[in-house]
Amino acid sequence: MTSLAEDVVAGRRAAVSRAITLVESSRPEHRTEARDLLGDLPTPERPAVRVGISGVPGVGKSTFIEALGVRLAEDGHRVGVLAVDPSSQRTGGSVLGDKTRMPRLATDDRAFIRASPSAGTLGGVARATSQAMLVLEAAAYDVVLVETVGVGQSETTVAGMVDTFLFLTLARTGDQLQGIKRGILELADVIAVNKADSVGGEDREGEARSAARELGGALRMVHGRDRAPAVVTCSGLTGAGVEDVWQRVLDHREQLGADGLAEKRSHQQLDFAWALVRDELEQRLRRSSSVRRVRTQVRELVLRGDLPAVAAADRILAAFDEDHPGDDAGPGAPVN
Ligand SMILES: Nc1nc2c(ncn2[C@@H]2O[C@H](COP(=O)(O)OP(=O)(O)OP(=O)(O)O)[C@@H](O)[C@H]2O)c(=O)[nH]1
Ligand SMILES: [Mg+2]
């Protein structure tokens, strides 16, 4: 075992930090090192509890994680927090931003907070995050909370990396149903209507409760009574209901059972492998010098109406294949 791996296993913060930086790096030599490191790291005897926490910007994810994380740490857990936000162009400032929203957790020895690299493709960020999760778990963080902003593909990506996906929403009318339409709530294992408190003067508790009831009813119609996710209310700010949300997360886990969890994780691995391949292919397509050579011409011809899209696609793919002589473009096998 390398000394970095030993230090990670010993839970040394600086080593954990360094290991995560390594797995986040996209440089080829770092990728090799990262793979070696991960090969050295032991998997925990009991699988860590992996929870994704999503919801629109400002719904209160960080505040909720602070409240939950502090409680879990007090109960003797070691809590890792990862933030995934591939859509954002924020730089290192986001680390600061997230940490100031989690002031107690950020200074707690039993917790480790890390913001994702802000740059990069979703696949790249997903690769970094899933490997960072393994580093944290090897360092005996037994609960890993992954915060992701509820826009676009990042939710689906995070849902594919965690055991339980928690969706935070607000009582505002229409918001819930919109969520269903976007298919986001399909991913949720537990839903919490957040900000069910009277901070700021106005009492939102009743409103939150009826929103939860309405949403719970709608979901039972969609999924059926047995498979519908639990819908509860909470306030990350006051801490009310946070323990109940956690209990629902544990219930979901219990429902999966040890075998169900193992099966879920292995399917996630397979899907993730293919997602990484797709991501890499897209990168190669972008980098391909042959594609670059035909790009301008194809663009002009298509815009002028002289080349149909299908023929244009063939020309681009033919150029791409020039970069990879020997590839057999036989009949396509289904991906995964
Ligand atoms: N009343 C009330 N306000 C809250 C609650 N949770 C968060 N807030 C406030 O809502 C704002 C956003 O909170 P964050 O925890 O940063 O929300 P977030 O979802 O992490 O936001 P992004 O990371 O930017 O997507 C802050 O001003 C919080 O003080 C809550 O439970 N009740
Ligand atoms: Mg946040």
Side-chain angles (χ1 to χ4, degrees):
M1 208 193 274
T2 60
S3 67
L4 181 57
E6 275 170 16
D7 288 346
V8 166
V9 172
R12 301 206 171 89
R13 297 182 79 85
V16 173
S17 214
R18 210 144 49 82
I20 294 179
T21 304
L22 183 64
V23 301
E24 282 174 351
S25 172
S26 55
R27 291 181 39 192
E29 68 270 27
H30 288 166
R31 279 201 186 179
T32 315
E33 263 182 76
R35 207 173 307 136
D36 292 346
L37 171 71
L38 291 169
D40 278 349
L41 293 177
T43 37
E45 254 165 61
R46 291 185 51 193
V49 180
R50 301 174 176 171
V51 182
I53 296 165
S54 185
V56 295
V59 72
K61 300 178 290 294
S62 301
T63 308
F64 176 86
I65 290 171
E66 157 92 350
L68 174 63
V70 166
R71 265 153 224 254
L72 291 173
E74 278 166 5
D75 287 347
H77 292 286
R78 281 165 58 79
V79 184
V81 179
L82 299 169
V84 182
D85 186 3
S87 58
S88 141
Q89 295 301 309
R90 296 186 299 183
T91 52
S94 64
V95 183
L96 201 65
D98 285 323
K99 285 195 175 175
T100 50
R101 296 223 170 127
M102 305 177 197
R104 288 177 65 196
L105 205 54
T107 53
D108 195 314
D109 280 347
R110 297 160 295 192
F112 192 98
I113 303 178
R114 178 82 170 206
S116 72
S118 54
T121 61
L122 188 57
V125 174
R127 174 203 298 270
T129 305
S130 65
Q131 297 190 126
M133 199 149 72
L134 297 177
V135 170
L136 288 175
E137 290 171 6
Y141 290 92
D142 62 327
V143 176
V144 179
L145 307 174
V146 185
E147 172 176 342
T148 183
V149 72
V151 287
Q153 270 294 107
S154 62
E155 290 176 308
T156 320
T157 305
V158 168
M161 298 192 301
V162 296
D163 307 328
T164 304
F165 195 68
L166 166 64
F167 188 76
L168 297 184
T169 186
L170 296 173
R172 265 175 318 169
T173 332
D175 201 46
Q176 312 87 311
L177 295 175
Q178 219 181 349
I180 293 180
K181 228 186 285 161
R182 295 199 337 261
I184 297 307
L185 295 180
E186 302 274 329
L187 296 173
D189 300 304
V190 179
I191 296 167
V193 181
N194 194 29
K195 305 198 184 181
D197 55 48
S198 49
V199 179
E202 142 202 31
D203 187 3
R204 286 175 303 266
E205 241 188 288
E207 197 188 22
R209 279 223 193 85
S210 53
R213 239 189 334 266
E214 193 185 314
L215 189 52
L219 285 166
R220 279 192 295 276
M221 295 224 312
V222 176
H223 294 283
R225 189 161 284 278
D226 295 337
R227 296 196 310 127
V231 186
V232 294
T233 63
C234 71
S235 166
L237 206 55
T238 67
V242 169
E243 259 151 45
D244 185 34
V245 175
W246 184 246
Q247 189 52 52
R248 304 305 174 128
V249 168
L250 297 179
D251 290 349
H252 171 254
R253 221 179 152 69
E254 180 84 27
Q255 256 172 23
L256 278 175
D259 292 346
L261 182 63
E263 195 188 329
K264 179 169 185 168
R265 286 190 175 188
S266 39
H267 278 104
Q268 285 177 333
Q269 286 303 302
L270 184 60
D271 289 346
F272 189 39
W274 280 105
L276 290 174
V277 169
R278 278 186 221 106
D279 187 65
E280 179 61 28
L281 282 179
E282 197 170 331
Q283 298 308 307
R284 289 187 192 180
L285 184 63
R286 268 182 232 282
R287 285 195 301 259
S288 157
S289 49
S290 312
V291 170
R292 206 171 306 145
R293 269 197 300 280
V294 300
R295 183 173 232 134
T296 318
Q297 193 199 19
V298 166
R299 180 187 148 87
E300 278 167 15
L301 289 172
V302 172
L303 289 181
R304 249 194 284 144
D306 289 341
L307 186 66
V310 172
D314 283 344
R315 201 175 286 191
I316 293 167
L317 288 169
F320 181 63
D321 287 341
E322 273 173 33
D323 282 356
H324 308 274
D327 281 5
D328 177 18
V335 287
N336 71 5

